[in-house]
Amino acid sequence: MSNRKTYAELRAEVAARYPSGQTPGGVTVDDIVQLRMQNSYDTHLDIARDMAKVMRADMAAYDADSSKFTQSLGCWSGFHAQQMIKAVKRMRGTARGTYVYLSGWMVAGLRNRFGHLPDQSMHEKTAVADLINEIYVSLRQADEVAINDLFKALKDARKSGDALAEKKAIEAIDSFETHVVPIIADIDAGFGNEHATYLLAKELIKAGACALQIENQVSDAKQCGHQDGKVTVPREDFIEKLRACRLALEEMGVDEGVIVARTDSLGAGLTQKVPVSQRPGDLAAEYIKWLKTEAITDANPMQEGELAIFQNGQFVKPARMANGLFPFKEGTGRARVIEDCIVNLTQGGADMLWIETDTPNVDEIAGMVNEIRKAVPNAKLTYNNSPSFNWTLNLRKQVREQWLAEGKISAADYPDGNELMKADFDATELGLEADARLQRFQTDISARAGVFHNLITLPTFHLTAKSVDELSRGYFGDQKMLAYVKTVQREEIRRGVSAVKHQHEVGSDLGDTFKEMVGGERALKAGGHANTMNQFAAE
């Protein structure tokens, strides 16, 4: 919360208006101060402006020290985001360096009216902004609940006449750190042309997003980055969408807003159209040079309806599929990615890059980033630690391949292929080494490949599926209530997960406090002796 006033400052300000200690209607100064402090932000646009500054400060810190990378998990509901931030604060004492990622995949798969859909931009545009708004409502409510608890401690200290406890309660109020953190919001390929991109970007920003991630696929043929059939747009087209996002940020006063330019060129072998080159070496020419072409010869003459382009001093035929799309030359994805990234930073005004890869390989990504940094030395990435990768199998294969090359093992020591996935190899030297590399993967990629932000796109999707499966197996099987107690409630209590007191978590104490503010002793409260939540310890 930028420029947040202290308890003493705010109380003095309100008391100056009401020297008697209350309004003419009987509302006390202390109650006004509490509600003002609980209201961490007036609008979600204020959040976007504030969180942009947070991200910029984090980016500067990373430039000075690559160990200061940031992280996020993709969340498909406000509650998931709230519980993630609460968990981080319990563990670290702060949420700094933690963001929320809003995945278009999860909006399509879980948050649209059309049902569960693949990641092909078929969900409603409004669903993305709605989820951003929901996440910030949940994070702000976490602030309200926590600050209400702090003010309850302050009131109890004053009621008992404990000056030291009162002082500590005020210090806790003044040092409170908000649960509100930056959101990186997936705007897919813009859901239409550049004007549609701009209009949607404004809605996402008004909902609170300070960072927009946009990809260079064709909007009406968009595919998940980890599936086949991806089609990229010419670089000029993508630059126009990057400008649309920047204009939206500037118009809304989010001057330090962040744009993440994602390229799917590594896995995209097709383009929608052949751009028009005005002069040698321009953006169109550098894009066209990668097209798969055929020489025009007597044996391969031009046919009715075919196209020809003049390239390297001769006319050639670009290959064209039955659907009219143009394939690129095989094996050119890496070179196209590097060029995309340089153009997106130098001519598109992007702040960060996103390179969608087919496997999690530090060396591969670092190699591309080193080429990009020859043109843009401080190039930074957001990297998708994707659940689409089989992390166990990929890392074990990488270790096996390296150890074979080094002569550390023979081919007979460990099998090749999918057999390495077996639990039999978990405790082996190779399995343990692969796990060690998994543990330091984000640290390595941030140090070696310019990755400022590590995220997992779909973790709460998979976690929910796994957790519900785990509970269902026991509850509907032999364990019955033991399954719930053992796998859920007992762990919540022992870890100090505040959601174990579910009534408190969703604001029942907030309601009691407000009833007291307006009704005093007449307040009908939920938090009395008969409240079953009293069986649980506080967080």
Side-chain angles (χ1 to χ4, degrees), residues 198 201-202 205 212 243-253:
Y198 153 78
K202 285 208 301 180
I205 296 161
L212 305 174
R243 288 173 182 163
C245 290
R246 181 62 65 197
L247 283 169
L249 287 163
E250 290 287 342
E251 179 182 343
M252 304 309 296

Side-chain angles (χ1 to χ4, degrees), residues 100-164:
V100 175
Y101 179 65
L102 188 149
S103 161
W105 190 104
M106 286 205 288
V107 174
L110 301 167
R111 296 298 303 250
N112 71 85
R113 298 181 191 175
F114 301 156
H116 303 305
L117 295 175
D119 184 20
Q120 297 174 348
S121 290
M122 290 191 288
H123 53 281
E124 311 93 334
K125 297 180 184 182
T126 53
V128 185
D130 288 347
L131 180 52
I132 297 170
N133 183 72
E134 178 187 309
I135 288 171
Y136 278 132
V137 167
S138 292
L139 295 181
R140 292 177 67 192
Q141 187 192 29
D143 282 358
E144 292 173 5
V145 170
I147 293 173
N148 181 65
D149 289 345
L150 295 177
F151 270 91
K152 186 176 184 300
L154 175 59
K155 290 173 183 176
D156 290 344
R158 284 178 172 163
K159 189 175 182 180
S160 65
D162 190 337
L164 181 59

Side-chain angles (χ1 to χ4, degrees), residues 4 111 123 181 236 286 294 326 399 460 509 521:
R4 182 170 177 261
R111 296 298 303 250
H123 53 281
V181 298
E236 304 101 305
E286 292 300 297
E294 301 173 355
F326 299 89
V399 174
T460 50
D509 285 18
E521 293 182 359

Side-chain angles (χ1 to χ4, degrees), residues 83 90 484-502 532-539:
Q83 293 303 303
R90 273 196 302 272
Y484 172 75
V485 173
K486 189 175 180 180
T487 64
V488 182
Q489 190 180 79
R490 195 176 288 167
E491 289 298 308
E492 285 181 307
I493 294 169
R494 291 173 177 174
R495 295 184 191 185
V497 177
S498 60
V500 72
K501 297 179 68 174
H502 46 259
T532 57
M533 290 293 103
N534 295 331
Q535 299 171 33
F536 302 97
E539 180 182 2

Side-chain angles (χ1 to χ4, degrees), residues 52-204:
K53 295 173 185 174
V54 170
M55 278 196 73
R56 290 290 179 177
D58 288 346
M59 290 163 70
Y62 171 80
D63 284 339
D65 180 358
S66 64
S67 70
K68 298 186 185 306
F69 61 89
T70 57
Q71 297 170 287
S72 68
L73 296 176
C75 297
W76 58 271
S77 78
F79 184 70
H80 284 98
Q82 181 196 83
Q83 293 303 303
M84 178 188 77
I85 299 303
K86 284 194 167 201
V88 173
K89 288 189 75 174
R90 273 196 302 272
M91 177 181 66
R92 297 178 178 173
T94 179
R96 292 184 188 122
T98 306
Y99 302 163
V100 175
Y101 179 65
L102 188 149
S103 161
W105 190 104
M106 286 205 288
V107 174
L110 301 167
R111 296 298 303 250
N112 71 85
R113 298 181 191 175
F114 301 156
H116 303 305
L117 295 175
D119 184 20
Q120 297 174 348
S121 290
M122 290 191 288
H123 53 281
E124 311 93 334
K125 297 180 184 182
T126 53
V128 185
D130 288 347
L131 180 52
I132 297 170
N133 183 72
E134 178 187 309
I135 288 171
Y136 278 132
V137 167
S138 292
L139 295 181
R140 292 177 67 192
Q141 187 192 29
D143 282 358
E144 292 173 5
V145 170
I147 293 173
N148 181 65
D149 289 345
L150 295 177
F151 270 91
K152 186 176 184 300
L154 175 59
K155 290 173 183 176
D156 290 344
R158 284 178 172 163
K159 189 175 182 180
S160 65
D162 190 337
L164 181 59
E166 179 181 349
K167 181 182 177 183
K168 287 183 177 178
I170 292 173
E171 288 174 352
I173 291 168
D174 286 342
S175 62
F176 175 77
E177 181 189 294
T178 180
H179 293 83
V180 172
V181 298
I183 286 178
I184 298 176
D186 183 1
I187 195 171
D188 278 21
F191 288 85
N193 64 13
E194 59 276 10
H195 192 228
T197 301
Y198 153 78
L199 293 172
L200 179 57
K202 285 208 301 180
E203 294 305 307
L204 305 192

